[in-house]
Amino acid sequence: MNHAIIEYGFKPATFYTIRDMMPFILTLFNAPAYMIWPTGRLGIAALIVMAAGLGYGIWHWREYQREMKENQWFLLGILLTLAPVLTLVIGFKLPQWVAIPLPNLSLEPTGGALMILAALPALVAGWILGPISAALVGLISGICLAFWDTHSPFTIIEFVFFSTLVSVAIRQRFRTAVFRVLRRPFLASILIGGIHTLVNIAGAFFWASGSIVEKLEFAISNARSGVAALAGCFAIAGLLVEFALVALPKADGIKQKLKPSPSESSIKIRFLQYVVSLTLVLVLVLLLVNWFVAGNSAEKMVQSQLENIARTTTNKIPFFFNTG
């Protein structure tokens, strides 16, 4: 086998390197569980506003919730029980990349944990039951990740928000091509996960304390691991739910026929849709460019500091040799 690996150009050291960069996590129960709440007024206000807006969105989308009968309540109970277990077992520790610690706190930066099945109960609830059930299950999963991994209360907001959003995307019945694509769980998870960069940077910005520059630097430097962790688990769950949807196409209990989309029924909404879409794309591109520029700058800064430390240490070695 080793000859075959060498023959085709693969080196065994590569596998060990990947294993060292992304070590396997059996469970997060051994990790310390605590929450770091925002200390500034702006962070507390942002957390309250986000939670209130999320609550309003869930109430606004209540029409997509399935009527709950005995079987549905039983399924919801099972998913609520499985949520903390699947969230805290089996995953990978992501690299730190260029992450920096929280300002004004003596904590070392750590890469996020990609828990493989963390989003599966929430997406199953969103597919079969509806957005309210998805929000409840996502709340349990988000609390577990917030306490045992990220230690940020904004993780709860992000997890509930994306669980609800994917559920609405899967259960909506609009007939245009865009909404037809969004009804596929895997594609919905991928497309909606694309906007997670904005939500993650906003949450990290309001979570951190310090000046605006320190907040922005922390948010951008930690966005890579945060986005990869949450978007990755939603993509995996979306793929699994996609297979289940193909096998059980009527499990969602939706009997409503397709209806015209908002852009088909109103010219004003169609114009606003184009404007908002273009604005979001431009903002996303701008954030991605700033993200890469700030990441490269931080990496070069750390490398320069390490080189200075090494140079200073090297220059002092002859002095110690001469003086004994």
Side-chain angles (χ1 to χ4, degrees):
M1 181 176 179
N2 292 334
H3 293 290
I5 292 176
I6 297 174
E7 180 181 356
Y8 288 99
F10 295 100
K11 297 181 179 180
T14 304
F15 299 100
Y16 292 105
T17 303
I18 296 175
R19 186 189 64 181
D20 294 338
M21 291 179 59
M22 298 178 59
F24 176 76
I25 299 175
L26 179 61
T27 178
L28 288 176
F29 284 109
N30 298 328
Y34 61 92
M35 186 82 74
I36 301 176
W37 297 94
T39 56
R41 295 180 180 179
L42 182 62
I44 297 174
L47 183 62
I48 295 174
V49 170
M50 287 183 179
L54 184 58
Y56 174 77
I58 296 172
W59 177 83
H60 178 72
W61 287 321
R62 66 189 184 280
E63 61 179 294
Y64 296 106
Q65 178 68 23
R66 185 176 183 176
E67 183 181 357
M68 300 293 287
K69 297 181 180 179
E70 183 178 356
N71 292 336
Q72 284 73 39
W73 284 112
F74 180 71
L75 176 61
L76 179 60
I78 293 177
L79 294 175
L80 288 173
T81 305
L82 289 176
V85 178
L86 296 182
T87 301
L88 297 176
V89 298
I90 306 178
F92 294 94
K93 194 68 175 179
L94 297 177
Q96 297 181 12
W97 285 303
V98 292
I100 62 175
L102 271 170
N104 304 324
L105 288 178
S106 57
L107 296 175
E108 295 184 1
T110 57
L114 173 57
M115 307 309 292
I116 297 176
L117 301 177
L120 183 59
L123 259 63
V124 171
W127 163 44
I128 299 179
L129 303 178
I132 297 178
S133 301
L136 291 175
V137 179
L139 178 64
I140 301 298
S141 300
I143 290 175
C144 292
L145 281 179
F147 271 95
W148 273 275
D149 181 36
T150 65
H151 312 298
S152 169
F154 289 94
T155 300
I156 305 174
I157 303 294
E158 295 174 17
F159 211 98
V160 175
F161 174 68
F162 283 106
S163 301
T164 306
L165 208 58
V166 173
S167 175
V168 173
I170 296 174
R171 297 183 65 84
Q172 51 81 24
R173 304 302 295 168
F174 297 118
R175 65 187 184 186
T176 54
V178 175
F179 291 102
R180 193 180 306 117
V181 169
L182 289 175
R183 277 196 293 274
R184 311 309 305 182
F186 178 65
L187 296 178
S189 301
I190 294 295
L191 294 176
I192 293 175
I195 66 174
H196 180 230
T197 303
L198 301 175
V199 180
N200 182 272
I201 290 178
F205 177 84
F206 291 116
W207 181 40
S209 59
S211 63
I212 295 179
V213 176
E214 291 175 333
K215 289 171 175 284
L216 191 59
E217 184 181 9
F218 169 78
I220 294 177
S221 65
N222 286 269
R224 187 180 301 180
S225 59
V227 171
L230 196 61
C233 70
F234 268 90
I236 295 172
L239 183 61
L240 296 176
V241 174
E242 184 75 38
F243 292 144
L245 180 60
V246 173
L248 303 170
K250 297 183 179 180
D252 53 13
I254 299 177
K255 300 179 181 180
Q256 184 181 3
K257 296 182 179 180
L258 297 179
K259 58 183 179 180
S261 65
S263 61
E264 291 180 305
S265 56
S266 174
I267 298 178
K268 184 186 296 184
I269 294 179
R270 184 182 303 178
F271 174 76
L272 290 176
Q273 181 180 353
Y274 289 145
V275 172
V276 171
S277 301
L278 181 60
T279 304
L280 287 177
V281 170
L282 292 176
V283 171
L284 182 60
V285 170
L286 181 61
L287 283 175
L288 289 176
V289 171
N290 290 334
W291 179 11
F292 285 111
V293 171
N296 291 332
S297 299
E299 188 174 358
K300 291 180 180 178
M301 185 182 301
V302 172
Q303 184 177 359
S304 176
Q305 291 177 352
L306 292 176
E307 289 177 354
N308 292 334
I309 294 173
R311 190 179 298 109
T312 303
T313 305
T314 304
N315 293 334
K316 290 183 178 180
I317 290 177
F319 172 76
F320 286 108
F321 278 126
N322 294 331
T323 57

